[in-house]
Amino acid sequence: MTFFVNMHGVIVLLLLLILRPPFIHQAQHFAVADDKLIKTLCHDSETPETCLKCVQSCNNSAKADGVIGIATMVVDCIKDTANNLALNITNLACTSQGELKSAYESCAKDYGDHIAKKELRLSKKALKQHKYDKAESLVVNALSFHLKCRMSLEHCKAQVPVGVSYDMKIYEELTEAASRIIEKL
């Protein structure tokens, strides 16, 4: 009788060992699907390389929970870029004078307070609440602060350092990518 009880245990163990590989393969398949989704969404933007670099640099990109997760990651990248711009432009303001100093200070405040701390934070919240039109509207509104800064610096004929200019370009590219991804929702 104990032979049959032990045999039953052995059969269960064998079944577990036999069935285990497909489950492992299935888990790997989901990671590939997420990677495919990321590539598909980013390639729908005008600057897929920037979008891909952003999402792949996120620590949680492997755990992206679909389109909303990827959109949130891109908004996070925009927020990080805005924070970088706020810091770098604040440093430029410290070494500038007159109208240029005032323009830099205004830009730094817009990037830090209006864009990063308000508009993009609210956009992420709207994404979590499934209010996609509002999320996209907030991303676009944040872009208006960026464009105001760009025009202000052009008006002052500012010699914007290459790094700041590059971050401004990346900001615009990420905004476009986020808008395209959010439109899919």
Side-chain angles (χ1 to χ4, degrees):
M1 181 111 154
T2 51
F3 173 76
F4 289 111
V5 172
N6 287 340
M7 185 59 117
H8 179 67
V10 170
I11 291 173
V12 169
L13 283 174
L14 281 173
L15 284 173
L16 286 174
L17 289 172
I18 292 170
L19 294 176
R20 189 168 180 218
F23 293 128
I24 291 171
H25 178 69
Q26 212 171 22
Q28 291 169 345
H29 178 36
F30 288 127
V32 171
D34 286 345
D35 191 46
K36 285 181 183 177
L37 179 61
I38 290 167
K39 287 179 181 174
T40 299
L41 291 172
C42 284
H43 282 287
D44 285 344
S45 71
E46 291 178 17
T47 54
E49 301 82 24
T50 302
C51 178
L52 283 169
K53 188 186 285 187
C54 157
V55 175
Q56 290 169 345
S57 72
C58 290
N59 292 337
N60 56 351
S61 65
K63 299 176 188 173
D65 61 344
V67 180
I68 296 171
I70 295 166
T72 301
M73 283 185 247
V74 177
V75 171
D76 277 335
C77 288
I78 299 169
K79 186 177 173 185
D80 291 344
T81 303
N83 283 327
N84 269 350
L85 284 164
L87 179 65
N88 291 333
I89 292 175
T90 297
N91 291 336
L92 290 171
C94 291
T95 60
S96 301
Q97 299 169 18
E99 186 180 4
L100 183 56
K101 180 179 182 88
S102 179
Y104 279 142
E105 288 172 340
S106 177
C107 285
K109 183 173 175 43
D110 282 347
Y111 281 115
D113 292 341
H114 296 292
I115 294 174
K117 292 181 183 165
K118 184 179 177 200
E119 302 297 323
L120 297 176
R121 184 181 58 79
L122 291 173
S123 179
K124 284 178 55 176
K125 185 177 177 182
L127 283 168
K128 288 178 186 172
Q129 296 173 341
H130 306 286
K131 297 178 180 177
Y132 308 124
D133 288 339
K134 183 175 182 178
E136 185 179 9
S137 172
L138 289 160
V139 168
V140 171
N141 197 41
L143 179 63
S144 70
F145 286 105
H146 167 78
L147 295 174
K148 182 181 95 175
C149 176
R150 182 180 282 285
M151 289 192 316
S152 173
L153 295 178
E154 287 172 4
H155 174 75
C156 292
K157 296 180 178 42
Q159 293 289 20
V160 179
V162 174
V164 172
S165 201
Y166 176 79
D167 280 351
M168 291 176 99
K169 178 181 152 253
I170 294 299
Y171 181 94
E172 291 170 13
E173 291 176 358
L174 288 170
T175 297
E176 187 273 333
S179 291
R180 293 278 183 255
I181 292 170
I182 295 170
E183 284 172 1
K184 300 283 183 200
L185 298 167

